[in-house]
Amino acid sequence: EVQLVESGGGLVQPGGSLRLSCAASGFSFSSYWMSWVRQAPGKGLEWVANIKEDESAKYYVDSVKGRFTISRDNAKNSLYLQMNSLRVEDTALYYCVRSVAGFDYWGQGTLVTVSS
Amino acid sequence: QAGLTQPPSVSKGLRQTATLTCIGNNNNVGYEGAAWLQQHQGHPPKLLFYRNYNRPSGISERFSASRSGNTASLTITGLQPEDEADYYCSAWDSSFSAWVFGGGTKLTVL
């Protein structure tokens, strides 16, 4: 059974940093693109970033470029999102998602709240 | 990075048919096609279709999807109360090298 479990969310002040983690199991993690997708409270879905199987390609939504960094450790079956210079508008539930011509498996999400 | 266009809401009666639309352009929906996701309140989204009409295992055959040019469509026949949810389309945009989502359509089953 495919499982994606996010962690690392919490309350942070504007300008602060957080590192999200996602533990993957039940599939060959190193064979799949992975993404982070977020959803602000009461709002729609927004793709944040994705990363190729071997980390040779990474893409970001414009609003996080230069502030967020996606990475992975295939030996640990883990996906990460380093978030710096956080803004109030980054407040959202962050999902770890397996990306296969779409988004076929989702975690339950980890909540990031940016507030003073 | 402009998103895809979906109607905010659609309402249909029980056992009726609902068709949801998603309008993009040549660089996204018209490029590699669209994916559709269903999200019930308080739950993560669930993939219904990828690359226009490919259905993952376990998805009901009451759901179908298609694409015509830069418009993708999701059709749900024989509407049931459990179909009431938010529906999102998504596509890879080759001009931005980014995934884009529609704003979502809230489907209400009357």
Side-chain angles (χ1 to χ4, degrees):
Chain A
E1 178 194 5
V2 172
Q3 285 198 324
L4 299 167
V5 180
E6 304 92 339
S7 60
L11 175 63
V12 62
Q13 291 188 336
S17 298
L18 276 178
R19 187 192 193 212
L20 306 185
S21 298
C22 170
S25 61
F27 67 102
S28 179
F29 180 74
S30 61
S31 298
Y32 290 87
W33 282 78
M34 296 295 295
S35 292
W36 289 97
V37 175
R38 67 185 179 184
Q39 187 168 34
K43 301 297 184 183
L45 301 171
E46 181 183 39
W47 171 81
V48 174
N50 67 353
I51 184 169
K52 196 175 179 182
E53 298 95 329
D54 59 0
E55 291 197 274
S56 60
K58 302 177 184 181
Y59 300 101
Y60 300 89
V61 68
D62 280 350
S63 60
V64 309
K65 284 179 181 175
R67 301 189 298 124
F68 289 12
T69 302
I70 190 172
S71 63
R72 65 192 295 163
D73 185 336
N74 287 340
K76 294 183 178 180
N77 290 337
S78 293
L79 178 71
Y80 306 100
L81 186 67
Q82 177 65 44
M83 304 187 297
N84 299 330
S85 302
L86 282 161
R87 304 168 180 168
V88 171
E89 55 265 34
D90 295 319
T91 294
L93 186 63
Y94 284 73
Y95 291 104
C96 168
V97 190
R98 194 176 84 168
S99 313
V100 181
F103 305 99
D104 64 345
Y105 284 96
W106 297 65
Q108 292 297 313
T110 187
L111 183 62
V112 172
T113 303
V114 185
S115 174
S116 55
Chain B
Q1 291 162 335
L4 308 175
T5 300
Q6 296 183 252
S9 63
V10 168
S11 297
K12 288 288 185 179
L14 197 62
R15 294 183 294 277
Q16 288 190 330
T17 296
T19 298
L20 312 182
T21 58
C22 170
I23 302 172
N25 60 40
N26 290 334
N27 297 313
N28 43 59
V29 175
Y31 178 58
E32 288 190 336
W36 287 94
L37 302 110
Q38 176 193 59
Q39 186 179 33
H40 288 106
Q41 182 71 29
H43 293 272
K46 175 183 177 181
L47 183 67
L48 297 177
F49 290 93
Y50 60 97
R51 290 204 177 121
N52 299 322
Y53 50 78
N54 295 278
R55 185 192 293 114
S57 61
I59 303 301
S60 169
E61 291 189 359
R62 294 189 299 105
F63 293 85
S64 62
S66 63
R67 180 190 70 174
S68 177
N70 297 328
T71 299
S73 299
L74 174 71
T75 298
I76 312 168
T77 58
L79 282 169
Q80 298 297 309
E82 61 266 29
D83 298 330
E84 190 162 287
D86 294 321
Y87 291 85
Y88 295 92
C89 61
S90 181
W92 175 256
D93 193 300
S94 60
S95 65
F96 298 122
S97 292
W99 281 95
V100 290
F101 279 95
T105 296
K106 182 176 183 62
L107 175 64
T108 301
V109 180
L110 303 171

Short mmCIF file of all heavy atoms in Angstrom, two decimals, chain A residues 33 35 37 39 43-47 50 59-63 65 95 99-109, chain B residues 1 34-35 37 39 42-47 49-51 56 86 88 90-92 96-103:
data_model
loop_
_atom_site.label_atom_id
_atom_site.label_comp_id
_atom_site.label_asym_id
_atom_site.label_seq_id
_atom_site.Cartn_x
_atom_site.Cartn_y
_atom_site.Cartn_z
N TRP A 33 8.75 10.85 -10.04
CA TRP A 33 8.71 12.27 -9.74
C TRP A 33 7.85 12.45 -8.49
O TRP A 33 6.90 11.71 -8.27
CB TRP A 33 8.04 13.04 -10.88
CG TRP A 33 8.87 13.30 -12.09
CD1 TRP A 33 9.17 12.42 -13.09
CD2 TRP A 33 9.46 14.55 -12.47
NE1 TRP A 33 9.91 13.04 -14.05
CE2 TRP A 33 10.11 14.35 -13.70
CE3 TRP A 33 9.50 15.82 -11.89
CZ2 TRP A 33 10.80 15.37 -14.37
CZ3 TRP A 33 10.19 16.84 -12.55
CH2 TRP A 33 10.82 16.62 -13.77
N SER A 35 6.04 15.68 -5.87
CA SER A 35 5.64 17.09 -5.81
C SER A 35 5.20 17.48 -4.42
O SER A 35 4.85 16.63 -3.61
CB SER A 35 4.46 17.34 -6.76
OG SER A 35 4.80 17.24 -8.11
N VAL A 37 2.20 20.05 -3.08
CA VAL A 37 1.03 20.82 -3.48
C VAL A 37 0.43 21.40 -2.20
O VAL A 37 0.35 20.71 -1.19
CB VAL A 37 -0.01 19.94 -4.20
CG1 VAL A 37 -1.28 20.73 -4.51
CG2 VAL A 37 0.58 19.35 -5.48
N GLN A 39 -2.65 23.91 -0.12
CA GLN A 39 -4.04 24.37 -0.16
C GLN A 39 -4.26 25.31 1.02
O GLN A 39 -4.25 24.87 2.18
CB GLN A 39 -5.00 23.18 -0.10
CG GLN A 39 -6.45 23.55 -0.30
CD GLN A 39 -7.32 22.32 -0.53
OE1 GLN A 39 -7.08 21.25 0.03
NE2 GLN A 39 -8.35 22.47 -1.34
N LYS A 43 -9.44 27.40 0.31
CA LYS A 43 -9.08 27.75 -1.07
C LYS A 43 -8.79 26.51 -1.90
O LYS A 43 -8.89 25.38 -1.43
CB LYS A 43 -7.85 28.67 -1.07
CG LYS A 43 -8.04 29.96 -0.29
CD LYS A 43 -9.12 30.83 -0.88
CE LYS A 43 -9.21 32.16 -0.15
NZ LYS A 43 -10.33 33.00 -0.69
N GLY A 44 -8.40 26.73 -3.15
CA GLY A 44 -8.13 25.63 -4.06
C GLY A 44 -6.70 25.12 -3.94
O GLY A 44 -5.92 25.53 -3.08
N LEU A 45 -6.37 24.21 -4.84
CA LEU A 45 -5.06 23.57 -4.84
C LEU A 45 -4.05 24.42 -5.60
O LEU A 45 -4.38 25.03 -6.62
CB LEU A 45 -5.15 22.19 -5.50
CG LEU A 45 -6.12 21.21 -4.86
CD1 LEU A 45 -6.26 19.97 -5.74
CD2 LEU A 45 -5.65 20.83 -3.47
N GLU A 46 -2.82 24.44 -5.10
CA GLU A 46 -1.74 25.14 -5.78
C GLU A 46 -0.49 24.25 -5.76
O GLU A 46 0.01 23.90 -4.70
CB GLU A 46 -1.43 26.49 -5.13
CG GLU A 46 -0.30 27.25 -5.83
CD GLU A 46 0.07 28.56 -5.17
OE1 GLU A 46 0.10 28.61 -3.92
OE2 GLU A 46 0.36 29.53 -5.90
N TRP A 47 0.00 23.93 -6.94
CA TRP A 47 1.26 23.18 -7.04
C TRP A 47 2.40 24.08 -6.60
O TRP A 47 2.44 25.27 -6.97
CB TRP A 47 1.44 22.73 -8.49
CG TRP A 47 2.77 22.14 -8.78
CD1 TRP A 47 3.18 20.86 -8.52
CD2 TRP A 47 3.87 22.79 -9.40
NE1 TRP A 47 4.48 20.70 -8.95
CE2 TRP A 47 4.92 21.87 -9.49
CE3 TRP A 47 4.07 24.09 -9.89
CZ2 TRP A 47 6.16 22.19 -10.05
CZ3 TRP A 47 5.30 24.41 -10.45
CH2 TRP A 47 6.33 23.47 -10.53
N ASN A 50 8.19 20.41 -7.90
CA ASN A 50 8.38 18.98 -8.13
C ASN A 50 9.83 18.68 -8.39
O ASN A 50 10.65 19.58 -8.63
CB ASN A 50 7.46 18.44 -9.23
CG ASN A 50 7.76 18.98 -10.61
OD1 ASN A 50 8.58 19.87 -10.77
ND2 ASN A 50 7.10 18.44 -11.62
N TYR A 59 11.43 22.00 -10.41
CA TYR A 59 10.64 23.12 -10.89
C TYR A 59 9.83 23.72 -9.74
O TYR A 59 9.46 22.99 -8.82
CB TYR A 59 9.70 22.69 -12.02
CG TYR A 59 10.42 22.12 -13.21
CD1 TYR A 59 10.50 20.75 -13.41
CD2 TYR A 59 11.03 22.96 -14.15
CE1 TYR A 59 11.16 20.22 -14.50
CE2 TYR A 59 11.70 22.44 -15.24
CZ TYR A 59 11.77 21.06 -15.41
OH TYR A 59 12.44 20.56 -16.48
N TYR A 60 9.56 25.01 -9.83
CA TYR A 60 8.86 25.72 -8.75
C TYR A 60 7.80 26.67 -9.32
O TYR A 60 7.97 27.22 -10.41
CB TYR A 60 9.86 26.56 -7.94
CG TYR A 60 10.96 25.77 -7.28
CD1 TYR A 60 12.16 25.52 -7.94
CD2 TYR A 60 10.80 25.29 -5.97
CE1 TYR A 60 13.17 24.80 -7.33
CE2 TYR A 60 11.82 24.57 -5.36
CZ TYR A 60 12.99 24.33 -6.05
OH TYR A 60 14.00 23.61 -5.44
N VAL A 61 6.76 26.91 -8.54
CA VAL A 61 5.82 27.97 -8.87
C VAL A 61 6.54 29.30 -8.65
O VAL A 61 7.41 29.41 -7.77
CB VAL A 61 4.54 27.85 -8.02
CG1 VAL A 61 4.82 28.14 -6.55
CG2 VAL A 61 3.44 28.75 -8.55
N ASP A 62 6.20 30.30 -9.43
CA ASP A 62 6.92 31.58 -9.37
C ASP A 62 6.96 32.18 -7.97
O ASP A 62 7.96 32.76 -7.55
CB ASP A 62 6.28 32.58 -10.33
CG ASP A 62 6.70 32.38 -11.77
OD1 ASP A 62 7.64 31.58 -12.02
OD2 ASP A 62 6.08 32.99 -12.67
N SER A 63 5.86 32.04 -7.23
CA SER A 63 5.74 32.72 -5.94
C SER A 63 6.70 32.18 -4.88
O SER A 63 6.89 32.83 -3.84
CB SER A 63 4.31 32.62 -5.43
OG SER A 63 3.93 31.28 -5.27
N LYS A 65 9.90 30.73 -5.85
CA LYS A 65 11.27 30.66 -6.40
C LYS A 65 12.21 31.54 -5.58
O LYS A 65 11.91 32.69 -5.28
CB LYS A 65 11.26 31.09 -7.87
CG LYS A 65 10.71 30.05 -8.81
CD LYS A 65 10.72 30.55 -10.25
CE LYS A 65 10.14 29.50 -11.20
NZ LYS A 65 10.02 29.99 -12.59
N TYR A 95 0.76 19.23 0.98
CA TYR A 95 0.65 17.81 0.66
C TYR A 95 1.90 17.33 -0.07
O TYR A 95 2.40 18.01 -0.98
CB TYR A 95 -0.54 17.55 -0.26
CG TYR A 95 -1.91 17.76 0.33
CD1 TYR A 95 -2.67 18.89 0.02
CD2 TYR A 95 -2.48 16.80 1.17
CE1 TYR A 95 -3.95 19.06 0.52
CE2 TYR A 95 -3.76 16.96 1.67
CZ TYR A 95 -4.49 18.10 1.35
OH TYR A 95 -5.75 18.25 1.84
N SER A 99 3.83 12.07 -8.35
CA SER A 99 3.42 12.71 -9.60
C SER A 99 3.62 11.75 -10.76
O SER A 99 4.74 11.48 -11.16
CB SER A 99 4.26 13.96 -9.85
OG SER A 99 4.35 14.76 -8.71
N VAL A 100 2.52 11.27 -11.31
CA VAL A 100 2.59 10.40 -12.48
C VAL A 100 1.55 10.89 -13.48
O VAL A 100 0.38 10.55 -13.35
CB VAL A 100 2.31 8.93 -12.12
CG1 VAL A 100 2.42 8.07 -13.38
CG2 VAL A 100 3.27 8.45 -11.06
N ALA A 101 1.95 11.72 -14.42
CA ALA A 101 1.01 12.30 -15.40
C ALA A 101 -0.19 12.88 -14.68
O ALA A 101 -1.30 12.86 -15.18
CB ALA A 101 0.56 11.24 -16.39
N GLY A 102 0.03 13.41 -13.55
CA GLY A 102 -1.04 13.89 -12.68
C GLY A 102 -0.54 13.69 -11.28
O GLY A 102 0.66 13.67 -11.04
N PHE A 103 -1.44 13.52 -10.35
CA PHE A 103 -1.04 13.36 -8.94
C PHE A 103 -1.80 12.17 -8.39
O PHE A 103 -2.96 12.31 -7.99
CB PHE A 103 -1.35 14.64 -8.17
CG PHE A 103 -0.73 15.88 -8.79
CD1 PHE A 103 -1.47 16.72 -9.60
CD2 PHE A 103 0.60 16.17 -8.56
CE1 PHE A 103 -0.90 17.85 -10.17
CE2 PHE A 103 1.18 17.31 -9.13
CZ PHE A 103 0.43 18.15 -9.93
N ASP A 104 -1.16 10.99 -8.37
CA ASP A 104 -1.94 9.79 -8.11
C ASP A 104 -2.01 9.36 -6.65
O ASP A 104 -2.94 8.65 -6.29
CB ASP A 104 -1.48 8.63 -9.01
CG ASP A 104 -0.06 8.19 -8.75
OD1 ASP A 104 0.70 8.92 -8.09
OD2 ASP A 104 0.30 7.10 -9.24
N TYR A 105 -1.05 9.74 -5.82
CA TYR A 105 -1.14 9.43 -4.40
C TYR A 105 -0.78 10.65 -3.57
O TYR A 105 0.20 11.34 -3.88
CB TYR A 105 -0.23 8.26 -4.01
CG TYR A 105 -0.77 6.92 -4.44
CD1 TYR A 105 -0.37 6.33 -5.63
CD2 TYR A 105 -1.71 6.25 -3.66
CE1 TYR A 105 -0.89 5.11 -6.03
CE2 TYR A 105 -2.24 5.03 -4.05
CZ TYR A 105 -1.82 4.48 -5.25
OH TYR A 105 -2.34 3.27 -5.65
N TRP A 106 -1.60 10.90 -2.54
CA TRP A 106 -1.46 12.07 -1.70
C TRP A 106 -1.30 11.67 -0.24
O TRP A 106 -1.93 10.71 0.21
CB TRP A 106 -2.71 12.96 -1.81
CG TRP A 106 -2.96 13.53 -3.17
CD1 TRP A 106 -3.26 12.84 -4.30
CD2 TRP A 106 -2.96 14.91 -3.52
NE1 TRP A 106 -3.42 13.71 -5.35
CE2 TRP A 106 -3.26 14.99 -4.90
CE3 TRP A 106 -2.74 16.09 -2.81
CZ2 TRP A 106 -3.34 16.20 -5.58
CZ3 TRP A 106 -2.82 17.30 -3.47
CH2 TRP A 106 -3.11 17.35 -4.85
N GLY A 107 -0.50 12.44 0.49
CA GLY A 107 -0.46 12.28 1.93
C GLY A 107 -1.64 13.03 2.55
O GLY A 107 -2.48 13.58 1.84
N GLN A 108 -1.70 13.02 3.87
CA GLN A 108 -2.76 13.72 4.59
C GLN A 108 -2.46 15.20 4.77
O GLN A 108 -3.36 15.98 5.10
CB GLN A 108 -2.99 13.08 5.95
CG GLN A 108 -3.57 11.67 5.88
CD GLN A 108 -4.95 11.66 5.24
OE1 GLN A 108 -5.83 12.46 5.59
NE2 GLN A 108 -5.17 10.75 4.29
N GLY A 109 -1.22 15.58 4.54
CA GLY A 109 -0.86 16.99 4.62
C GLY A 109 -0.30 17.39 5.98
O GLY A 109 -0.57 16.75 7.00
N GLN B 1 2.12 32.58 -13.93
CA GLN B 1 1.68 31.23 -14.22
C GLN B 1 0.16 31.16 -14.10
O GLN B 1 -0.40 30.81 -13.07
CB GLN B 1 2.36 30.25 -13.26
CG GLN B 1 3.84 30.12 -13.52
CD GLN B 1 4.61 29.53 -12.36
OE1 GLN B 1 4.20 29.61 -11.21
NE2 GLN B 1 5.77 28.96 -12.63
N ALA B 34 -5.15 16.97 -19.65
CA ALA B 34 -5.52 17.35 -18.29
C ALA B 34 -5.71 16.14 -17.39
O ALA B 34 -5.98 15.03 -17.85
CB ALA B 34 -6.82 18.16 -18.31
N ALA B 35 -5.55 16.39 -16.11
CA ALA B 35 -5.89 15.41 -15.07
C ALA B 35 -7.07 15.97 -14.28
O ALA B 35 -7.25 17.19 -14.20
CB ALA B 35 -4.71 15.18 -14.15
N LEU B 37 -9.21 15.66 -10.50
CA LEU B 37 -9.15 15.19 -9.12
C LEU B 37 -10.44 15.54 -8.42
O LEU B 37 -11.07 16.56 -8.70
CB LEU B 37 -7.97 15.83 -8.39
CG LEU B 37 -6.61 15.58 -9.01
CD1 LEU B 37 -6.05 16.86 -9.61
CD2 LEU B 37 -5.63 15.02 -7.99
N GLN B 39 -12.14 16.06 -4.54
CA GLN B 39 -11.79 16.29 -3.14
C GLN B 39 -13.05 16.46 -2.30
O GLN B 39 -13.82 17.40 -2.51
CB GLN B 39 -10.89 17.51 -2.97
CG GLN B 39 -10.39 17.69 -1.53
CD GLN B 39 -9.48 18.89 -1.36
OE1 GLN B 39 -9.62 19.90 -2.02
NE2 GLN B 39 -8.52 18.76 -0.43
N GLY B 42 -12.38 18.01 3.88
CA GLY B 42 -11.57 17.45 4.95
C GLY B 42 -10.68 16.29 4.55
O GLY B 42 -10.03 15.69 5.41
N HIS B 43 -10.62 15.97 3.26
CA HIS B 43 -9.81 14.86 2.78
C HIS B 43 -8.86 15.32 1.69
O HIS B 43 -9.12 16.32 1.02
CB HIS B 43 -10.71 13.75 2.24
CG HIS B 43 -11.53 13.08 3.29
ND1 HIS B 43 -11.06 12.00 4.01
CD2 HIS B 43 -12.75 13.36 3.78
CE1 HIS B 43 -11.98 11.63 4.87
NE2 HIS B 43 -13.01 12.45 4.75
N PRO B 44 -7.76 14.58 1.50
CA PRO B 44 -6.88 14.91 0.36
C PRO B 44 -7.59 14.62 -0.96
O PRO B 44 -8.54 13.82 -1.00
CB PRO B 44 -5.69 13.95 0.53
CG PRO B 44 -5.87 13.29 1.83
CD PRO B 44 -7.27 13.44 2.26
N PRO B 45 -7.14 15.25 -2.03
CA PRO B 45 -7.72 14.96 -3.35
C PRO B 45 -7.45 13.52 -3.77
O PRO B 45 -6.52 12.87 -3.28
CB PRO B 45 -6.98 15.95 -4.27
CG PRO B 45 -6.53 17.04 -3.37
CD PRO B 45 -6.19 16.36 -2.08
N LYS B 46 -8.25 13.08 -4.73
CA LYS B 46 -8.15 11.73 -5.29
C LYS B 46 -8.11 11.85 -6.79
O LYS B 46 -8.93 12.57 -7.38
CB LYS B 46 -9.36 10.91 -4.85
CG LYS B 46 -9.47 9.53 -5.44
CD LYS B 46 -10.77 8.90 -4.95
CE LYS B 46 -11.03 7.55 -5.51
NZ LYS B 46 -12.33 6.99 -5.04
N LEU B 47 -7.16 11.17 -7.43
CA LEU B 47 -7.04 11.25 -8.88
C LEU B 47 -8.15 10.46 -9.55
O LEU B 47 -8.32 9.28 -9.28
CB LEU B 47 -5.67 10.73 -9.31
CG LEU B 47 -5.36 10.82 -10.80
CD1 LEU B 47 -5.23 12.27 -11.24
CD2 LEU B 47 -4.08 10.04 -11.14
N PHE B 49 -8.72 10.96 -13.27
CA PHE B 49 -8.23 10.73 -14.64
C PHE B 49 -6.89 11.43 -14.81
O PHE B 49 -6.63 12.46 -14.20
CB PHE B 49 -9.21 11.29 -15.68
CG PHE B 49 -10.49 10.55 -15.77
CD1 PHE B 49 -11.58 10.94 -15.03
CD2 PHE B 49 -10.60 9.44 -16.59
CE1 PHE B 49 -12.77 10.25 -15.08
CE2 PHE B 49 -11.79 8.73 -16.66
CZ PHE B 49 -12.88 9.14 -15.89
N TYR B 50 -6.07 10.85 -15.69
CA TYR B 50 -4.83 11.51 -16.08
C TYR B 50 -4.71 11.46 -17.60
O TYR B 50 -5.27 10.58 -18.24
CB TYR B 50 -3.62 10.87 -15.39
CG TYR B 50 -3.42 9.40 -15.69
CD1 TYR B 50 -2.53 8.99 -16.68
CD2 TYR B 50 -4.10 8.42 -14.97
CE1 TYR B 50 -2.34 7.65 -16.95
CE2 TYR B 50 -3.91 7.09 -15.24
CZ TYR B 50 -3.03 6.70 -16.22
OH TYR B 50 -2.83 5.36 -16.48
N ARG B 51 -3.98 12.42 -18.15
CA ARG B 51 -3.85 12.56 -19.60
C ARG B 51 -5.19 12.41 -20.30
O ARG B 51 -5.36 11.58 -21.18
CB ARG B 51 -2.80 11.59 -20.14
CG ARG B 51 -1.41 12.00 -19.70
CD ARG B 51 -0.32 11.47 -20.60
NE ARG B 51 0.98 11.95 -20.15
CZ ARG B 51 2.00 11.17 -19.79
NH1 ARG B 51 1.88 9.86 -19.85
NH2 ARG B 51 3.12 11.70 -19.37
N PRO B 56 -7.53 5.67 -13.43
CA PRO B 56 -6.81 4.74 -12.53
C PRO B 56 -7.75 3.63 -12.07
O PRO B 56 -8.97 3.79 -12.11
CB PRO B 56 -6.41 5.63 -11.35
CG PRO B 56 -6.48 7.04 -11.87
CD PRO B 56 -7.57 7.02 -12.90
N ASP B 86 -15.59 18.81 -4.39
CA ASP B 86 -14.89 19.77 -5.24
C ASP B 86 -14.10 19.01 -6.28
O ASP B 86 -13.45 18.00 -5.96
CB ASP B 86 -13.95 20.64 -4.41
CG ASP B 86 -14.69 21.55 -3.45
OD1 ASP B 86 -15.74 22.08 -3.83
OD2 ASP B 86 -14.20 21.74 -2.31
N TYR B 88 -11.18 19.34 -9.35
CA TYR B 88 -10.11 20.17 -9.89
C TYR B 88 -9.54 19.54 -11.15
O TYR B 88 -9.37 18.32 -11.23
CB TYR B 88 -8.97 20.30 -8.87
CG TYR B 88 -9.35 21.05 -7.61
CD1 TYR B 88 -9.83 20.37 -6.49
CD2 TYR B 88 -9.21 22.43 -7.53
CE1 TYR B 88 -10.17 21.04 -5.33
CE2 TYR B 88 -9.54 23.12 -6.37
CZ TYR B 88 -10.03 22.42 -5.28
OH TYR B 88 -10.37 23.09 -4.13
N SER B 90 -6.09 19.78 -13.74
CA SER B 90 -4.69 20.17 -13.65
C SER B 90 -3.98 19.77 -14.93
O SER B 90 -4.37 18.81 -15.59
CB SER B 90 -4.03 19.47 -12.45
OG SER B 90 -2.69 19.85 -12.34
N ALA B 91 -2.93 20.52 -15.27
CA ALA B 91 -2.16 20.20 -16.47
C ALA B 91 -0.75 20.74 -16.33
O ALA B 91 -0.52 21.74 -15.63
CB ALA B 91 -2.82 20.79 -17.70
N TRP B 92 0.18 20.09 -17.00
CA TRP B 92 1.56 20.59 -17.06
C TRP B 92 1.60 21.69 -18.11
O TRP B 92 1.14 21.50 -19.23
CB TRP B 92 2.52 19.48 -17.41
CG TRP B 92 3.93 19.93 -17.59
CD1 TRP B 92 4.62 20.12 -18.76
CD2 TRP B 92 4.85 20.30 -16.54
NE1 TRP B 92 5.89 20.56 -18.50
CE2 TRP B 92 6.06 20.69 -17.15
CE3 TRP B 92 4.76 20.35 -15.15
CZ2 TRP B 92 7.18 21.10 -16.42
CZ3 TRP B 92 5.87 20.75 -14.42
CH2 TRP B 92 7.06 21.12 -15.05
N PHE B 96 5.62 27.52 -18.87
CA PHE B 96 6.09 27.91 -17.54
C PHE B 96 6.91 26.81 -16.87
O PHE B 96 7.52 27.05 -15.83
CB PHE B 96 4.91 28.24 -16.63
CG PHE B 96 4.07 29.40 -17.09
CD1 PHE B 96 2.71 29.24 -17.34
CD2 PHE B 96 4.62 30.65 -17.25
CE1 PHE B 96 1.93 30.30 -17.76
CE2 PHE B 96 3.85 31.72 -17.67
CZ PHE B 96 2.50 31.55 -17.93
N SER B 97 6.94 25.62 -17.45
CA SER B 97 7.53 24.44 -16.78
C SER B 97 6.98 24.32 -15.37
O SER B 97 7.71 24.32 -14.36
CB SER B 97 9.06 24.54 -16.75
OG SER B 97 9.60 24.44 -18.04
N ALA B 98 5.66 24.25 -15.30
CA ALA B 98 4.98 24.22 -14.01
C ALA B 98 3.64 23.53 -14.17
O ALA B 98 3.02 23.59 -15.24
CB ALA B 98 4.77 25.64 -13.48
N TRP B 99 3.20 22.89 -13.09
CA TRP B 99 1.84 22.37 -13.07
C TRP B 99 0.90 23.53 -12.74
O TRP B 99 1.21 24.37 -11.89
CB TRP B 99 1.69 21.29 -12.00
CG TRP B 99 2.23 19.96 -12.42
CD1 TRP B 99 3.47 19.45 -12.17
CD2 TRP B 99 1.54 18.96 -13.17
NE1 TRP B 99 3.59 18.21 -12.72
CE2 TRP B 99 2.43 17.88 -13.35
CE3 TRP B 99 0.26 18.89 -13.72
CZ2 TRP B 99 2.06 16.73 -14.05
CZ3 TRP B 99 -0.10 17.74 -14.42
CH2 TRP B 99 0.80 16.68 -14.57
N VAL B 100 -0.24 23.57 -13.40
CA VAL B 100 -1.27 24.56 -13.10
C VAL B 100 -2.57 23.84 -12.76
O VAL B 100 -2.85 22.77 -13.31
CB VAL B 100 -1.46 25.56 -14.25
CG1 VAL B 100 -0.24 26.47 -14.38
CG2 VAL B 100 -1.71 24.85 -15.57
N PHE B 101 -3.33 24.45 -11.86
CA PHE B 101 -4.62 23.91 -11.48
C PHE B 101 -5.72 24.88 -11.88
O PHE B 101 -5.50 26.10 -11.98
CB PHE B 101 -4.70 23.75 -9.95
CG PHE B 101 -4.04 22.51 -9.41
CD1 PHE B 101 -2.73 22.56 -8.95
CD2 PHE B 101 -4.72 21.32 -9.34
CE1 PHE B 101 -2.12 21.43 -8.44
CE2 PHE B 101 -4.12 20.18 -8.82
CZ PHE B 101 -2.82 20.24 -8.37
N GLY B 102 -6.91 24.34 -12.06
CA GLY B 102 -8.09 25.17 -12.14
C GLY B 102 -8.49 25.58 -10.74
O GLY B 102 -8.01 25.01 -9.76
N GLY B 103 -9.39 26.56 -10.65
CA GLY B 103 -9.83 27.03 -9.35
C GLY B 103 -10.76 26.07 -8.63
O GLY B 103 -11.08 26.27 -7.45
#
